[in-house]
Amino acid sequence: MEPEHLILLQKILVVLFCVALFWKIIKYMCGLLNIEKDPVTVLVTGQIGYALVPMIARGAMLGPDQPVILHMLDIEPAAEALKGVKMELIDAAFPLLRDVVATTDAVEACKGVNIAVMVGGFPRKEGMERKDVMSKNVSIYKAQASALEKHAAPDCKVLVVANPANTNALILKEFAPSIPEKNITCLTRLDHNRALGQISEKLNVHVSEVKNVIIWGNHFSTQYPDVNHATVKATNGGEKPVRELVANDNWLNTEFITTVQQRGAAIIKARKLSSALSAASAACDHIRDWVLGTPKGTWVSMGVYSDGSYGVQPGLIFSFPVTCEKGQWSIVQGLKIDEFSRGKMDATAKELVEEKSLAYSCLN
């Protein structure tokens, strides 16, 4: 080999060595920069938390790379059971779980909380008047709101699950005035998911192919599950309206609505227990989409503070279709509302106005 070729080969080898070395340095520096995220502190109240906390610890709520600290709050008679749940969480060795606090003290539970999932509440028992239940829950949410107000992180996001969820959220907002009103929501994602499930069963398609159903109003028997803007993914990659594919307006306007409205009662009748699993899953969906964002072209249902959109009285916590981006939700605007839908939306809004009045009478 001629000397000049040898020199050229040596130069090429030196360049290759330098590139490889430079690449290793870059990878090393990237490794140093890849610092683990700070843990997010999540509060869960109430005994349905047994279904919810392992989902949070596995990353179902905040993602597979987000460490969490779990705070669990329950009533004094459940203190021993709460200790047992803490033991199980430790035994499960969840990689994302950094710490667990199990307590019956609201102040300790609310310290530094970034996300609060309020599942605990007083259930309606046989023979109880609606006002009696409301009075019990007003008392509970007034106390917990005060603890959040004083001890939670300033940007704390709150999801109320316990019924009456919309009105409990409203009471919480009243007694935690420093928490932004856009940070206080209630769970209607369970009803939203139930509606998706009913449509997927009816059309024999996978539930992931159905999107943009809406739950309007109250998480109660007057809620309005609306499919007028819902679509199903078509085989050609496009989307087809649910109404067109179902081709049965009578079913969509009657049986479909009542099935979604009464699904919780049907599960209690079948299991003799409440729908803890699906409610926990829906709570994870709600927070995950709120924090991490909704997919483009897709909305979800959330109980949020009404700004007067779609003629709903401002100041109610009302379920709307929303999109989420960068930790903020926005009500989807400009959807056409037909006469049938208007009547249903007005009926559920009227019920929420009555609930609000009842709750405030309990406060007084």
Side-chain angles (χ1 to χ4, degrees):
M1 187 178 284
E2 295 181 18
E4 58 266 27
H5 288 159
L6 240 129
I7 292 166
L8 181 63
L9 182 61
Q10 285 174 340
K11 285 181 177 178
I12 290 169
L13 288 171
V14 169
V15 169
L16 287 173
F17 174 78
C18 289
V19 168
L21 183 63
F22 186 60
W23 177 243
K24 282 188 175 182
I25 291 169
I26 289 173
K27 283 181 74 177
Y28 176 73
M29 294 301 291
C30 287
L32 289 178
L33 291 171
N34 188 23
I35 300 165
E36 187 182 80
K37 292 179 178 179
D38 290 332
V40 171
T41 301
V42 182
L43 166 67
V44 178
T45 73
Q47 293 184 25
I48 192 183
Y50 187 76
L52 179 57
V53 288
M55 295 184 186
I56 299 170
R58 278 194 180 279
M61 178 177 280
L62 294 169
D65 62 346
Q66 178 58 66
V68 293
I69 296 169
L70 276 172
H71 287 199
M72 300 184 296
L73 173 68
D74 214 329
I75 54 175
E76 194 63 46
E80 282 303 309
L82 199 58
K83 285 180 186 175
V85 176
K86 180 176 179 177
M87 285 186 244
E88 286 207 75
L89 286 167
I90 292 166
D91 293 348
F94 293 111
L96 292 172
L97 187 58
R98 293 293 176 267
D99 194 14
V100 184
V101 173
T103 182
T104 58
D105 177 26
V107 171
E108 184 186 7
C110 292
K111 277 182 183 172
V113 165
N114 305 110
I115 293 168
V117 185
M118 316 301 285
V119 184
F122 194 90
R124 188 169 185 173
K125 296 178 179 178
E126 194 174 346
M128 284 186 77
E129 293 294 327
R130 197 170 170 209
K131 185 168 182 176
D132 297 332
V133 183
M134 186 70 75
S135 180
K136 292 277 189 185
N137 280 294
V138 162
S139 175
I140 291 167
Y141 276 82
K142 181 179 176 181
Q144 293 183 356
S146 298
L148 284 170
E149 165 77 8
K150 291 173 185 172
H151 303 287
D155 61 347
C156 179
K157 286 178 163 58
V158 182
L159 168 61
V160 177
V161 178
N163 289 321
N166 300 59
T167 303
N168 284 343
L170 200 62
I171 295 301
L172 193 145
K173 190 192 83 66
E174 185 78 19
F175 289 96
S178 71
I179 298 177
E181 60 191 31
K182 287 202 77 167
N183 280 22
I184 296 175
T185 65
C186 80
L187 186 72
T188 56
R189 184 60 175 270
L190 176 56
D191 311 299
H192 181 100
N193 289 350
R194 285 168 172 167
L196 291 174
Q198 290 302 305
I199 296 300
S200 74
E201 292 270 301
K202 185 73 172 177
L203 295 175
N204 195 27
V205 298
H206 193 270
V207 72
S208 64
E209 295 175 2
V210 187
K211 70 175 189 177
N212 293 352
V213 299
I214 302 168
I215 303 297
W216 298 100
N218 197 2
H219 175 60
F220 201 61
S221 57
T222 60
Q223 65 174 262
Y224 171 44
D226 177 7
V227 298
N228 287 329
H229 309 279
T231 60
V232 176
K233 193 182 291 182
T235 49
N236 64 2
E239 295 172 353
K240 288 191 173 181
V242 162
R243 274 204 182 271
E244 180 185 312
L245 293 172
V246 172
N248 186 341
D249 282 352
N250 182 58
W251 181 81
L252 286 170
N253 291 344
T254 54
E255 187 181 335
F256 164 72
I257 291 174
T258 54
T259 298
V260 175
Q261 288 173 336
Q262 298 169 14
R263 188 69 162 183
I267 289 168
I268 290 171
K269 186 178 178 182
R271 291 188 68 233
K272 308 297 183 281
L273 293 166
S274 67
S275 47
L277 175 63
S278 53
S281 180
C284 286
D285 292 344
H286 176 112
I287 296 290
R288 185 183 61 250
D289 285 341
W290 189 2
V291 172
L292 302 179
T294 48
K296 191 176 180 181
T298 301
W299 63 64
V300 294
S301 301
M302 287 172 61
V304 299
Y305 197 69
S306 173
D307 61 358
S309 294
Y310 296 100
V312 175
Q313 179 179 309
L316 295 177
I317 302 286
F318 191 94
S319 183
F320 289 98
V322 303
T323 56
C324 303
E325 187 177 6
K326 296 178 181 177
Q328 300 294 323
W329 55 262
S330 301
I331 296 171
V332 176
Q333 298 293 340
L335 298 176
K336 187 179 177 183
I337 306 297
D338 62 20
E339 189 179 345
F340 178 83
S341 297
R342 183 77 265 164
K344 293 287 187 184
M345 290 165 68
D346 288 347
T348 193
K350 181 173 179 286
E351 182 179 59
L352 282 170
V353 170
E354 290 168 358
E355 274 192 17
K356 180 180 178 180
S357 175
L358 184 60
Y360 277 73
S361 73
C362 293
L363 283 173
N364 296 329

